[in-house]
Structures are given as C-alpha cells and as structure tokens.
Amino acid sequence: MKKLSNTKTLTLAAMLTAIGIVLGYFKFPINQFIEIRFAFVPLCLAGLLLGPGIAGVMGILVDVGGFLMYPTGPFFPGFTFSSMMTGVIFGLFLYKKRVTLQRMIVTMVTYTMVVGVLLNSIWLNMLYLKLGYFNTILYRLPKEAIMLVVNTAIIYTLLKAFESVKLYEKI
C-alpha cells in the first residue's frame, strides 16, 4: 500500500494502463474463438516494475477501460479476471528478478497455459457453448503455441532493452 502513495508509481501505472487500453483496441480476430492481441505487454511491464498487486489491479482497469472505450460485445467478467491474472502472473514471476531467457520462457508458458488456454477457453465455452470445453482448448492450442513463441520474443526483447538503459533503477 505504501507504493500507491508514490507519485512516480501512480503515474507509471496510469500510463501503462492507458497504453494497455489502446493496445486492447488493436486485435486481429481470426474467428469467434481466436484473436491475436497485445494488451498484455503493458501488464507485463507493470508486473516487472510495480509487482503483482498493482499489475493485477491494472489488468482489471485495462479490461474494463477497454470495454468502456470500445465495446466489441457483451461485458463478461471472466475476461476481466483473465486480465487481472495476467498482471499477477507477470508480477509473481518478474518483479524484482533479473530478466533471463529461461525466466521469460517459464513466465510466458505459465501465462499462456493459465490465461490463454485454460481460463479464456472456459470463458469462450461459457459464452458460446458450441464446441465443449476440451474441444475449445484443442481448437485454440495451435494459435496459443504460435503466439507463445511470438510473445516471448517480443517481451524478452523489450525487457532486455529496458534493462540495457537501466530503466529499472529509475523507478
């Protein structure tokens, strides 16, 4: 809670939340069950720089804010929970830890399995009830496997760039 009284922390959290909302606007729908998104990137940075608690709250704000700014369907709290868990997972795995390729791979595999495969498949199955839960997972696995590699490369490169300019020390 002490961290929330720091102006620098609040400013960074607000900016990353705004970036997350904007990035959430840019999505590439493949079909009803599969779309490619990059709104997780600011939540990853928040987890790394601010910790799991603040990143989790930001996940909620990014999802709700994105819905209020550009609703693409009915509001569903399951996806808000997924967004919160995204921030929490990145915070648990990255906060106050050195960024290594191994750590990034473990983090991204955990994020992909928990949020992308398990949780989001539950929510999609609840909303659309067409394939069944396990069939929904099987249908989404190829996309999640491809995005795991892409997302890991993006995040690792970005975090290494931040590390090289010693951004962590300034926050």
Side-chain angles (χ1 to χ4, degrees):
M1 289 307 244
K2 185 178 180 183
K3 226 177 178 186
L4 290 175
S5 64
N6 182 331
T7 305
K8 204 183 281 189
T9 299
L10 288 175
T11 303
L12 179 62
M15 288 190 319
L16 288 173
T17 300
I19 292 168
I21 291 169
V22 170
L23 284 177
Y25 174 79
F26 297 102
K27 61 183 175 185
F28 307 99
I30 308 300
N31 61 35
Q32 179 175 343
F33 291 91
I34 300 173
E35 54 186 31
I36 298 170
R37 295 176 165 237
F38 297 101
F40 74 94
V41 173
L43 295 177
C44 177
L45 292 172
L48 173 79
L49 300 171
L50 304 172
I54 294 174
V57 171
M58 284 177 53
I60 294 169
L61 295 174
V62 165
D63 185 72
V64 173
F67 174 78
L68 293 174
M69 296 298 292
Y70 187 74
T72 57
F75 178 76
F76 186 72
F79 292 117
T80 304
F81 181 75
S82 290
S83 187
M84 179 197 71
M85 287 306 297
T86 298
V88 169
I89 288 169
F90 284 122
L92 290 174
F93 281 83
L94 300 175
Y95 186 57
K96 294 187 177 182
K97 296 182 174 93
R98 190 168 163 356
V99 176
T100 63
L101 183 57
Q102 295 81 6
R103 184 179 310 281
M104 265 334 300
I105 290 170
V106 169
T107 303
M108 292 306 294
V109 166
T110 303
Y111 159 72
T112 300
M113 292 305 295
V114 171
V115 176
V117 175
L118 298 176
L119 290 176
N120 287 347
S121 293
I122 291 170
W123 313 141
L124 289 168
N125 194 55
M126 287 173 71
L127 281 172
Y128 300 109
L129 296 172
K130 290 191 177 186
L131 296 175
Y133 179 62
F134 292 108
N135 288 333
T136 303
I137 288 176
L138 292 175
Y139 189 68
R140 293 172 44 79
L141 272 177
K143 175 260 186 184
E144 293 296 337
I146 292 167
M147 290 310 296
L148 172 63
V149 175
V150 171
N151 292 343
T152 301
I154 290 170
I155 291 296
Y156 181 71
T157 303
L158 182 67
L159 296 185
K160 280 311 223 182
F162 278 15
E163 192 175 66
S164 70
V165 296
K166 301 186 188 298
L167 179 68
Y168 304 151
E169 296 170 8
K170 297 176 184 175
I171 295 174

